[in-house]
Amino acid sequence: MTSQVSSPIDEEHDPAVAGTREVPGTAGGQRAPGKETRRLERVIIRFAGDSGDGMQLTGDRFTSETASFGNDLSTLPNFPAEIRAPAGTLPGVSSFQLHFADHDILTPGDAPDVLVAMNPAALKANIADLPRGAEVIVNTDEFTKRALQKVGYPASPLEDGSLDGYSVHQVPLTTLTLEALKGSGLARRDAERAKNMFALGLLSWMYHRPTESTEAFLRTKFARKPEIAEANITAYRAGWNFGETTEDFAVSYEVAPAAAAFPPGTYRNISGNLALAYGLVSASVRSGLPLFLGSYPITPASDILHELSRHKRFGVRTFQAEDEIAAIGAALGAAFGGSLAVTTTSGPGVALKSETIGLAVSLELPLLVVDIQRGGPSTGLPTKTEQADLLQAMHGRNGEAPVPVVAPATPADCFDAALEAARIATVYRTPVILLSDGYLANGSEPWRIPEVSELPDLRVRFASGPNHTKADGTQEFWPYLRDPETLARPWAVPGTPGLEHRIGGIEKQDGTGNISYDPANHDLMVRTRQAKVDGIAVPDVVVDDPDGPDGPDGTRTLVLGWGSTYGPITAAVRRLRRAGGKVAQAHLRHLNPFPANLGRVLSGYERVVVPEMNLGQLAQMLRAKYLVDVVSYNQVTGLPFKAEQLARAIAELGGVSDLDAAGELDALGEQGRSKGQERTDV
Amino acid sequence: MSETTTNGTGPAAGGLGVMPLSSARSLELVPKADGPQSAKDFKSDQEVRWCPGCGDYAILAAVQSFMPELGLARENVVFVSGIGCSSRFPYYMNTYGMHSIHGRAPAIATGLAASRRDLSVWVVTGDGDALSIGGNHLIHALRRNVNLKILLFNNRIYGLTKGQYSPTSEIGKITKSTPMGSLDAPFNPLSLALGAEASFVARTIDSDRKHLQSVLRAAAEHEGTALVEIYQNCNIFNDGAFDTLKDKVSAQEAVIRLEHGAPIRFGAPAEDGLGAKGVVRDRATGDLRVIDVTVEGTDEVLVHDARAASPTTAFALTRLADADTLHHTPIGVLRDVSRPVYDTQMADQLDQAVQQQGAGDLGALLAGNDTWTVAG
C-alpha cells in the first residue's frame, strides 16, 4: 500500500467520514468491525476490460457515486474505435480512469493507484502505467491458458512473480458473480455480464462510495427488463459484501468530500460534450433564436447530436444530414433564416466543410462549427484526443477567410465556450470554430450549475427596415452596410418586408452587396472581413504569476497553453511551484483573434514554453505574429499530457533553475507522496 | 438603421420556433401578398448577365410572370442556387436569395425550409450542379421530401466553365475535355429522381412558357420536394440540343405530352383528334412501348396516372425517350403523390415534445437529477 497516502481514520475526529453510510445488503448498513479504514487525499482508479465488458459504464457509475459524495474528480475514458474488438485481445481493451480527491484536482491523474483488470489483455495493456506498490484487482477466471496466450503471456503473470512489486488481489469475479446469481433464472451468459457490477460493488465498498444512485440507475436503465436490473443489483451488492467479508481486503479507504475546493453552489458532474450541448441550448434560449443543428455522425462528436435531439421541447431542430457538407449547408440555410445554426463534427468533417465555412465567411452569417478534435491525419485515431486541427481551423479554406476560433479548457468549460462562440457569431455575423477535443468531450468533472439569469444576454438585432437613402431620397436596404463599431453587416431574415436581398459567394460590392469584380473593391472587402475578425472584442489573457516578471528575482518563464491542456499544465505548474520553481502560467481561450495583451505578456518573459498535443501549431502562430522565440513541447500519443512529465519538460525547456534543492526534478513526480497530508498533488 | 431585437427568453413560439401543429398544404403557412402583383414586382434591379439568346432568359421571364399567380408575400419567397450559369438566377429575382456553392443548394435550402415553414423555398440548379457535384444532396432532398421546389435547368453541357461534357451529355460527346468523345453514360434526371423516392417529378422546356408555367403551378402546389427538369438551350456550347422537341413538325413525333387522367397519345392527329401514336404496356415484358393507334386500336393505350402509388410506370415513361434522337420524350408531370413532408413532421415532433413534456425549462435542464450542494 505504498502508493496510497493513507492514515488511520479517527472517526471521532471527523464525523463526515465515519463508516456509517447506508449500504446495501448489510443489516443496518453497518460495516463489520475489525476492518481498518484509512483516509486518503486522493485516489486514481482505472477500470480495464474488454470493450464489451462494460468498463465505460462501470467507470461512469463510480464517477457518479463519487460526484454525489462531493469529491473533486476528473475522468479519462479510453476506448478503441471498434465497437466490439475481438474478445481478449490487446486492441480490444477499453479503460476508464478516474481521479478523485478531497481537494481540487485538474487531471485524471498520471498513474493509477488501483487497476481493475477484467482479463489478461487488460492487465498487459495497463500494468506498465502502474507504479510499484499499486493495487491490482484481477479477475482470475479469465486467466486461462488460451486467454494468456492470446496476448502473449508465456506464463501466468499471477504466478511467475512478475507482479511481485504490486499488491495483487486475485478475485474470481466471474465465478462469484455466477454464484450470486444462482437461482436468478438468468442464462449463464447473461449472468456473466453482471460481473462488471460485482467489480463496481467491490470498489464501492473499498472507497466508501454511496450506493443508492447506482441501484436507482440500474432500475431505470433496465426498467423494461426488471430481471436484468435485479441481477445487476444483486451482483453489485455481492461485490460490496465480498469486500466486507473476505480477508483479502483488509482495508477500506475514505476520501473526504472536497468541500474547500468548491465555491458554494449546486454541483453536478458533467462531460465536455454534454456541457457543450447544454451551452448551445442555453445560447438558443438567451438569444431568443431557435437552435438548428446540422450534423453527420462522427466520433467523438456524435454525442452532441444525440443530446440535442432529445431537447425538441426547447424548439431545437436536429438534422442528421447525408454528409458533412450537407450538415453545414443545412445549418447555413437555417442561419440565413434566423436560426442559431450549429454544425458539430471532428477534424475530417471540418475538412469537408471547408468550402461552406468559406461561404459563411463571405455571406457573413452567424454559424457555429464545433470541432471535437481527434487524432489525425485522415481517419487517424477516432477515439483518441489531439489538438492538431488548430491550423486547419485558422487557415483551412481557400482565399483570405478569417474565422474566429474559441477553445474550451476543461469539460465543464465547454458550456461557457459554447456561449462565447454564440456571442461572437451573432454579434459579428461570422462563422466561429469551437475547438474541443476527445479528452474534453468524454472526460468529466464537477460543474457548478449556473442560474439562468447569470448567463450572458445574447439577444440579437434583426434588420427591420431600410438603412440607406438613395440620391433621390428614397430608402433602400443595403445588406453589406456595416455597423461602424463591430463591422458586422445587418442580419435581415426572409419574411421581413422591404429587405429582399440576394447574397452569395461571389465578391460583393461594399455596402450594396451587388456582384462586383472591381479590383479596389475586392481589396477593400478582403481587408474589411479581416479587420472585422481582428477587431472582435475578446478578454485579455490572464497571467497567473505569483512572483511577477519584474525585478532580478522575477519569474523568467511563462507556460502558455490552449484548450484541453489546461488541466495537465496547471497541475504541472503547481508541482513546479511547490518545488520552489518560479513559473508563470497563461491559457488561451481565444485563438483568433488573440487577446490584445498577448504580445505584451509574451515579451515580458525570457522563455515561453508552449505545450501542445500537436507538433507546435500554436507555437507557429505565436512566432509568426509576435516574433517571439517560443519553445514548443509536443505530444501526439492520442492521450493527454501527464502532469509529472509536463513539469519536467517545463523545468527543462523553460530553464526553471530556481527549484528547491538538488534532485528537485526527481521529486516532481513524488510530491503527493513525500509531503504526507498536505494538499499537494493535483 | 431600424432593427428588431429578439427576446432572450427562448425562441418565440409561432415565430421562428415552434409552429402550430398542422398538416399544411404546401403554401398554407406562407403569408400572402397584400394586393395584386405583376411580373415586374419579381424583377430585381440587377442587370441580367446571361449570354444573349440563352434559354435562361425565357425561364426567368416565365418564373417572374408566374410568381404573381401564387400571390405570396414576396419577402417570404426565397431562391437558393448553387454554381453554374443557371445559379445566377436568384440575383434577378426580387425576393430573398442565396447564390451558394457548387452542388450544395439543396442542402442549404433544406435547412432553410426545415426551419422556416413560412417560406416558399425554390432551388435553381443545373445538370452539373445537381447531378455531378451535388448529386448526393439532390437524391437525399428528394428522399426526405422537404418542402422545396427544385428547378433543374438541363442543357446537357457545362456552360460557365466553357463547354465540358456534363452528366447528362450523350455518350461520345466531343467537347473541350473529351476531344475523342465522352465515355460515360448519362443520367436520366427523371429516372434518377424516381429512384430516389421523389414525390413530384416533372419535365418541361424553356421555350414553351405555357407548359413551363403549368408545371411550375403543379410543383408549387405539391407538398414536399418537387423536381422540375427544364430542358434549356445553351446557345454557345450546346446549341440546338433540344431542337427536335421544339420544332413543330419534329415535336409531333418526339414529344409526349403527359396529362393526368388522359390517354398517353401523341403524334399527328388520328381520326379521333388525338395523336396517332400511343403508349401501351407490353404484355410480354411489362415495359412500355409506343404503338400506332390507327393500326392497333386505342383501347390499350395507357391512361396517365401521376398519382399512382407505385413509381414503376412513371419510371418506364422516363425510359421511353431515345437517348440520341430524343424521340418519345415525355414532358409534363410524371409523378405527383402525397407523402409525409419532412419539415412538417419535424415541426410536429417539436410540438409533440412540448405537449408531452411541457415547454423547455432551461434551469431544470441544467440542474439535471444528480446534484450536490456545497454550502457557503
Side-chain angles (χ1 to χ4, degrees):
Chain A
M1 287 318 304
T2 55
S3 73
Q4 301 195 29
V5 182
S6 60
S7 63
I9 281 187
D10 177 0
E11 294 192 4
E12 296 295 310
H13 181 70
D14 187 350
V17 292
T20 55
R21 195 169 305 283
E22 179 111 3
V23 289
T26 55
Q30 293 296 321
R31 281 174 179 263
K35 285 219 176 189
E36 186 186 347
T37 302
R38 292 188 200 156
R39 177 182 292 181
L40 303 177
E41 294 177 344
R42 64 187 196 92
V43 179
I44 302 164
I45 297 175
R46 186 183 293 177
F47 297 94
D50 251 345
S51 37
D53 276 346
M55 290 298 97
Q56 302 305 319
L57 174 69
T58 309
D60 276 342
R61 284 320 312 160
F62 197 91
T63 302
S64 288
E65 294 173 358
T66 296
S68 65
F69 185 67
N71 295 121
D72 196 6
L73 66 88
S74 174
T75 66
L76 176 64
N78 189 7
F79 44 87
E82 294 78 13
I83 303 304
R84 295 277 189 280
T89 61
L90 291 172
V93 173
S94 166
S95 72
F96 187 104
Q97 184 165 314
L98 166 70
H99 184 187
F100 61 102
D102 66 1
H103 57 277
D104 69 315
I105 52 171
L106 296 146
T107 74
D110 288 1
D113 302 307
V114 185
L115 170 67
V116 179
M118 301 297 282
N119 64 12
L123 181 70
K124 187 159 194 188
N126 290 286
I127 192 71
D129 294 339
L130 265 65
R132 293 276 149 176
E135 290 195 71
V136 182
I137 299 169
V138 294
N139 178 11
T140 53
D141 289 325
E142 295 293 327
F143 280 64
T144 61
K145 198 171 171 191
R146 189 157 173 273
L148 290 164
Q149 275 172 352
K150 206 182 256 185
V151 295
Y153 273 128
S156 172
L158 304 179
E159 289 156 15
D160 67 1
S162 61
L163 299 178
D164 281 355
Y166 303 95
S167 170
V168 180
H169 301 276
Q170 299 197 24
V171 184
L173 282 169
T174 312
T175 307
L176 291 168
T177 304
L178 289 175
E179 269 173 32
L181 296 179
K182 212 182 279 174
S184 68
L186 285 187
R188 183 191 164 93
R189 198 184 138 79
D190 289 332
E192 258 192 53
R193 288 171 61 90
K195 64 181 184 288
N196 63 331
M197 287 299 111
F198 188 98
L200 178 64
L202 174 57
L203 271 288
S204 299
W205 172 84
M206 269 180 84
Y207 292 98
H208 293 238
R209 300 292 95 186
T211 55
E212 302 82 359
S213 64
T214 290
E215 297 202 2
F217 167 85
L218 289 169
R219 288 211 166 85
T220 310
K221 180 176 169 71
F222 298 110
R224 288 188 192 161
K225 295 178 184 167
E227 71 285 1
I228 301 283
E230 283 315 308
N232 276 291
I233 290 167
T234 303
Y236 178 61
R237 290 179 175 180
W240 198 98
N241 290 335
F242 179 76
E244 181 74 356
T245 52
T246 184
E247 288 179 9
D248 189 26
F249 291 90
V251 185
S252 63
Y253 305 93
E254 283 279 10
V255 179
F262 298 116
T266 304
Y267 288 79
R268 65 182 286 175
N269 192 54
I270 199 159
S271 70
N273 271 353
L274 184 59
L276 212 158
Y278 284 0
L280 295 173
V281 175
S282 300
S284 166
V285 170
R286 297 293 285 175
S287 64
L289 304 176
L291 187 64
F292 184 97
L293 173 72
S295 190
Y296 185 77
I298 186 169
T299 304
S302 302
D303 283 340
I304 303 172
L305 167 62
H306 304 163
E307 183 63 30
L308 289 177
S309 68
R310 298 173 56 226
H311 299 301
K312 297 189 192 327
R313 63 203 189 104
F314 286 88
V316 175
R317 284 175 164 83
T318 53
F319 173 70
Q320 183 176 316
E322 60 269 24
D323 60 29
E324 295 280 0
I325 299 171
I328 188 173
L332 185 61
F336 185 53
S339 285
L340 180 66
V342 185
T343 187
T344 50
T345 186
S346 187
V350 174
L352 287 164
K353 294 176 197 295
S354 309
E355 191 190 11
T356 311
I357 298 173
L359 176 62
V361 168
S362 180
L363 298 182
E364 303 192 43
L365 284 171
L367 176 67
L368 304 190
V369 180
V370 176
D371 176 1
I372 312 295
Q373 300 166 94
R374 66 190 214 187
S378 188
T379 305
L381 305 172
T383 60
K384 312 293 180 192
T385 197
E386 205 162 278
Q387 293 183 297
D389 292 348
L390 176 57
L391 291 182
Q392 178 178 227
M394 286 296 297
H395 303 299
R397 291 167 293 283
N398 64 305
E400 297 286 355
V403 172
V405 180
V406 173
T410 71
D413 188 43
C414 291
F415 179 81
D416 296 309
L419 285 161
E420 173 65 353
R423 175 189 75 88
I424 293 173
T426 51
V427 170
Y428 295 91
R429 324 283 204 233
T430 176
V432 175
I433 296 181
L434 197 164
L435 285 179
S436 177
D437 62 33
Y439 169 51
L440 296 180
N442 293 319
S444 67
E445 65 177 351
W447 175 51
R448 192 187 69 78
I449 301 161
E451 295 293 332
V452 172
S453 58
E454 292 172 33
L455 302 177
D457 178 355
L458 297 174
R459 280 175 295 179
V460 304
R461 283 174 298 170
F462 288 132
S464 61
N467 57 0
H468 179 258
T469 308
K470 283 199 266 194
D472 65 5
T474 54
Q475 300 250 300
E476 63 181 347
F477 177 65
W478 279 16
Y480 279 78
L481 196 61
R482 295 170 189 281
D483 179 302
E485 218 168 281
T486 61
L487 297 182
R489 74 174 192 89
W491 193 1
V493 299
T496 316
L499 306 192
E500 295 85 358
H501 65 283
R502 278 66 54 189
I503 54 178
I506 295 192
E507 188 60 282
K508 291 155 286 283
Q509 186 181 48
D510 183 36
T512 66
N514 294 331
I515 291 179
S516 168
Y517 303 123
D518 178 68
N521 177 73
H522 178 56
D523 189 85
L524 172 71
M525 291 297 275
V526 168
R527 290 177 195 278
T528 304
R529 286 187 289 260
Q530 184 68 50
K532 181 176 83 166
V533 172
D534 290 346
I536 290 170
V538 305
D540 275 354
V541 65
V542 177
V543 183
D544 172 30
D545 184 357
D547 298 294
D550 302 325
D553 294 329
T555 311
R556 291 159 51 222
T557 305
L558 170 73
V559 189
L560 180 70
W562 68 278
S564 78
T565 52
Y566 173 78
I569 292 175
T570 309
V573 166
R574 284 189 191 175
R575 286 176 186 231
L576 285 166
R577 286 182 185 160
R578 271 196 308 279
K582 284 181 187 156
V583 190
Q585 187 196 351
H587 207 76
L588 291 173
R589 149 166 298 194
H590 295 276
L591 284 312
N592 194 29
F594 283 134
N597 68 334
L598 184 58
R600 284 197 308 281
V601 166
L602 293 175
S603 61
Y605 293 91
E606 273 180 43
R607 296 210 192 190
V608 179
V609 181
V610 180
E612 292 180 82
M613 295 189 293
N614 58 41
L615 294 186
Q617 300 193 3
L618 174 63
Q620 185 180 324
M621 287 166 60
L622 295 171
R623 283 166 163 264
K625 186 168 170 78
Y626 299 107
L627 299 176
V628 171
D629 189 15
V630 304
V631 185
S632 219
Y633 180 65
N634 312 111
Q635 168 181 302
V636 281
T637 58
L639 291 166
F641 285 110
K642 292 181 174 178
E644 176 183 344
Q645 157 212 4
L646 251 190
R648 288 173 194 281
I650 294 166
E652 259 166 61
L653 298 172
V656 183
S657 57
D658 40 5
L659 299 177
D660 272 343
E664 59 286 88
L665 277 180
D666 288 337
L668 288 175
E670 300 299 323
Q671 286 305 301
R673 284 141 204 161
S674 65
K675 294 207 175 183
Q677 282 295 343
E678 284 178 39
R679 286 181 176 167
T680 49
D681 219 299
V682 283
Chain B
M1 177 171 63
S2 58
E3 294 178 319
T4 53
T5 302
T6 55
N7 184 346
T9 54
L16 301 177
V18 184
M19 295 294 177
L21 183 67
S22 62
S23 55
R25 306 293 308 173
S26 64
L27 297 170
E28 199 173 76
L29 296 178
V30 184
K32 305 299 175 284
D34 290 337
Q37 298 166 318
S38 71
K40 201 168 151 247
D41 292 322
F42 288 91
K43 286 180 182 152
S44 78
D45 60 356
Q46 296 299 295
E47 181 194 359
V48 184
R49 294 188 197 173
W50 287 310
C51 305
C54 176
D56 289 352
Y57 283 95
I59 304 172
L60 177 64
V63 172
Q64 285 168 335
S65 63
F66 160 71
M67 291 308 290
E69 247 188 68
L70 294 179
L72 302 175
R74 205 176 51 189
E75 63 270 20
N76 286 71
V77 178
V78 185
F79 278 81
V80 181
S81 65
I83 292 292
C85 295
S86 60
S87 286
R88 297 298 179 92
F89 197 95
Y91 287 117
Y92 310 131
M93 294 294 297
N94 193 12
T95 62
Y96 282 85
M98 188 195 292
H99 176 215
S100 75
I101 45 178
H102 210 5
R104 316 306 170 199
I108 291 168
T110 292
L112 181 62
S115 59
R116 290 289 306 274
R117 297 175 64 220
D118 60 329
L119 302 178
S120 169
V121 182
W122 297 71
V123 169
V124 178
T125 182
D127 41 318
D129 193 55
L131 300 171
S132 245
I133 195 166
N136 199 35
H137 306 310
L138 179 74
I139 59 174
H140 287 277
L142 295 170
R143 166 178 78 84
R144 276 190 198 101
N145 207 30
V146 185
N147 202 0
L148 294 177
K149 313 304 157 201
I150 302 175
L151 310 183
L152 196 172
F153 296 14
N154 182 5
N155 56 18
R156 310 187 77 183
I157 199 77
Y158 280 82
L160 202 57
T161 51
K162 302 193 176 177
Q164 300 83 9
Y165 79 109
S166 92
T168 56
S169 296
E170 58 277 21
I171 295 179
K173 184 104 175 156
I174 307 278
T175 71
K176 275 183 189 152
S177 61
T178 51
M180 295 176 70
S182 63
L183 302 174
D184 28 341
F187 268 137
N188 177 327
L190 301 192
S191 304
L192 182 79
L194 289 164
E197 308 291 343
S199 58
F200 183 100
V201 175
R203 177 187 283 145
T204 184
I205 300 173
D206 56 3
S207 54
D208 188 342
R209 177 182 289 206
K210 196 174 155 211
H211 188 265
L212 200 162
Q213 291 185 332
S214 75
V215 167
L216 291 179
R217 195 172 302 121
E221 285 167 1
H222 175 73
E223 281 186 283
T225 308
L227 179 83
V228 179
E229 181 187 25
I230 305 173
Y231 280 156
Q232 172 249 326
N233 190 44
C234 172
N235 57 323
I236 304 296
F237 296 108
N238 201 21
D239 195 23
F242 305 106
D243 278 359
T244 314
L245 309 178
K246 295 181 180 183
D247 177 80
K248 265 194 180 160
V249 178
S250 60
Q252 282 203 330
E253 283 299 311
V255 175
I256 304 174
R257 287 178 180 261
L258 297 173
E259 275 179 47
H260 177 68
I264 306 175
R265 300 267 299 266
F266 66 105
E271 283 173 11
D272 61 2
L274 299 174
K277 302 216 163 168
V279 174
V280 298
R281 194 179 300 284
D282 186 295
R283 290 191 183 192
T285 66
D287 207 349
L288 302 185
R289 64 184 173 89
V290 172
I291 59 155
D292 200 334
V293 292
T294 52
V295 178
E296 298 194 37
T298 59
D299 290 353
E300 290 184 32
V301 171
L302 208 64
V303 173
H304 180 50
D305 180 7
R307 314 238 149 82
S310 163
T312 309
T313 304
F315 186 85
L317 283 169
T318 68
R319 311 308 291 179
L320 278 177
D322 183 293
D324 293 325
T325 64
L326 294 186
H327 275 197
H328 307 164
T329 295
I331 66 170
V333 178
L334 282 87
R335 182 166 174 79
D336 182 0
V337 297
S338 181
R339 194 152 80 66
V341 177
Y342 184 86
D343 34 307
T344 305
Q345 291 195 304
M346 192 183 224
D348 286 352
Q349 282 193 344
L350 300 196
D351 289 343
Q352 248 175 47
V354 171
Q355 280 164 13
Q356 288 168 3
Q357 307 157 29
D361 173 350
L362 184 59
L365 174 73
L366 300 184
N369 297 320
D370 277 338
T371 64
W372 69 96
T373 300
V374 175

